[in-house]
Amino acid sequence: YEDTRDPRRTKRQMVLSYYVRKNILMNRAGFSQQELRDASKAVQKAKKQRNVTAAISPLSDVEAAVESVGRKVKRLYKSKKVQDGCL
C-alpha cells in the first residue's frame, strides 16, 4: 500500500472554501441547511465556553491558593486552642 499510494497533500491542498464544503455536506452527505446552521451554532458555543474557561483559568489558581491558606490558618488556630486547653 505504501509503495502505491499518492504522496500526502499539503495543507494548502486540504483547504476547502465555504461554498465547496457546504456543497459537499449538503449534496453528498445529505445534511440540510438547518443541520449545518445548528452545528455551526454548537461550534460557536463551544468556542465561547473554551474562551471563558481560558480567561478564568488563572483565577482558579489564585482561588486554590486562598483556600489552602484558609485551611492552614484554621489548622493553626485549632492547634493553638488544643495547646491552651480550651477543648
Side-chain angles (χ1 to χ4, degrees):
Y1 169 76
E2 292 296 326
D3 295 333
T4 60
R5 77 176 186 91
D6 292 334
R8 289 180 181 242
R9 295 190 297 168
T10 64
K11 286 183 182 180
R12 180 112 173 114
Q13 292 170 326
M14 298 287 284
V15 173
L16 295 175
S17 74
Y18 165 81
Y19 299 104
V20 171
R21 185 179 301 107
K22 184 176 175 183
N23 185 23
I24 290 171
L25 289 170
M26 290 180 72
N27 296 332
R28 292 188 190 170
F31 290 101
S32 70
Q33 186 130 10
Q34 184 62 41
E35 289 173 315
L36 295 180
R37 214 174 293 124
D38 292 344
S40 180
K41 282 184 181 181
V43 167
Q44 292 302 319
K45 183 177 179 181
K47 192 175 186 180
K48 186 176 180 180
Q49 288 173 338
R50 282 194 304 272
N51 288 338
V52 167
T53 301
I56 292 175
S57 182
L59 298 177
S60 67
D61 295 338
V62 172
E63 182 182 2
V66 168
E67 288 175 359
S68 177
V69 168
R71 286 191 301 271
K72 289 175 184 173
V73 167
K74 283 181 185 178
R75 210 175 314 136
L76 183 64
Y77 182 72
K78 195 174 190 180
S79 68
K80 281 196 176 223
K81 273 184 154 181
V82 170
Q83 288 176 358
D84 292 341
C86 292
L87 267 183

